[in-house]
Amino acid sequence: MVVPALDTEALACAVQAKYTEVATAPERGFHFHTGRPLAQMLAYPEAWIAAVPRAAVERFAGVGNPFALGPLPAGAVVLDVGSGAGFDAQHAARQVGLRGRVIGVDMTPAMLAVARAAAADAGLTWLEFREGRAEQLPLTDASTDVVISNGVINLCPDKAAVYRELLRVLKPGGRLQIADVMVQLPVPDEARAEIDLWTG
Amino acid sequence: MVREAGFVDVELGEFIDVFSGSPHESDAREFETRGVTFRARKPG
């Protein structure tokens, strides 16, 4: 039996369409948890959730809490890969403070629009968002102290390319703090080619 | 894969049953899919 190869561009389009839905109609309900209940399930402190504008909270769609791995240093330059509506990027901005800088990168324009508005609403002038993909980040070499990401790399078909790219943008000694999905049993090739299984 | 890219000091954090109670739960259970946190460092 010939197993169809994964159409990576169709996958990118499907992911973008799914997260455009999350950005434009977060109340709709998805195959994965979202919003405040998800943030509470992942043990984000209530005070952190309360500090983030509602638009960014409602569109949160992570799979873990990358801050549970340790606080971000004050003054650090932080990259959030697949920043969505900016829920984690806002926490990062508060942790690094005014002398730091946080750059969120996302490929979905509707999410970027929400994230920019929420950052402006929160007065986080040292937080910015750029359009881009994890495999080709719009950042220069060795420009970042910490890379965070939450539930994004699993959606990228070429994960090795993503990690090479993260290595490129990190400064020597810089670190990753990632939350992602891990599949612990082998996935058949037929299932890998099913885009619906990737996007949930 | 993280180490192959050149990272060191890779440490796994907690595993979370993040799809529990979601419509995606049965697919997630079929392949034992969990949320996980990890950190790693670029040498230097």
Side-chain angles (χ1 to χ4, degrees):
Chain A
M1 176 183 156
V2 177
V3 176
L6 175 69
D7 182 337
T8 56
E9 202 47 44
L11 173 61
C13 288
V15 169
Q16 197 170 51
K18 177 64 69 179
Y19 287 91
T20 297
E21 271 185 74
V22 177
T24 55
E27 73 286 351
R28 183 175 295 171
F30 298 92
H31 283 77
F32 41 84
H33 294 300
T34 57
R36 175 179 288 273
L38 173 62
Q40 290 169 328
M41 176 182 166
L42 298 176
Y44 281 81
E46 281 295 337
W48 290 22
I49 301 170
V52 175
R54 207 168 89 179
V57 176
E58 288 173 343
R59 292 159 176 82
F60 173 57
V63 298
N65 179 349
F67 304 101
L69 296 162
L72 304 177
V77 177
V78 176
L79 164 66
D80 183 2
V81 176
S83 46
F87 181 75
D88 282 333
Q90 290 221 2
H91 301 315
R94 290 186 174 87
Q95 289 190 23
V96 302
L98 268 168
R99 293 186 181 173
R101 189 169 168 218
V102 177
I103 301 151
V105 172
D106 203 279
M107 70 172 185
T108 303
M111 278 294 192
L112 288 164
V114 175
R116 287 174 180 138
D121 189 18
L124 299 169
T125 54
W126 58 102
L127 166 59
E128 66 167 295
F129 293 93
R130 300 178 186 174
E131 187 168 347
R133 291 190 182 189
E135 300 88 341
Q136 198 169 8
L137 292 163
L139 279 90
T140 56
D141 295 357
S143 57
T144 307
D145 296 298
V146 184
V147 172
I148 63 170
S149 185
N150 196 346
V152 172
I153 299 171
N154 70 92
L155 298 170
C156 303
D158 190 351
K159 292 163 185 57
V162 173
Y163 286 113
R164 286 194 300 272
E165 187 67 346
L166 301 185
L167 194 77
R168 179 185 72 77
V169 301
L170 275 169
K171 298 174 185 174
R175 67 178 199 254
L176 303 177
Q177 290 190 197
I178 305 285
D180 208 357
V181 166
M182 182 179 281
V183 180
Q184 294 174 289
L185 292 180
V187 179
D189 288 343
E190 310 89 84
R192 274 181 201 276
E194 268 187 53
I195 285 174
D196 284 351
L197 278 179
W198 286 72
T199 60
Chain B
M1 192 179 291
V2 178
R3 287 190 185 92
E4 283 167 13
F7 287 96
V8 296
D9 299 338
V10 180
E11 293 176 42
L12 281 179
E14 57 180 353
F15 283 76
I16 308 143
D17 193 4
V18 71
F19 297 108
S20 176
S22 76
H24 193 51
E25 182 172 4
S26 61
D27 287 335
R29 289 221 184 283
E30 185 178 349
F31 300 111
E32 289 192 13
T33 305
R34 298 276 188 279
V36 65
T37 54
F38 63 91
R39 63 183 171 190
R41 187 174 60 82
K42 179 175 177 174

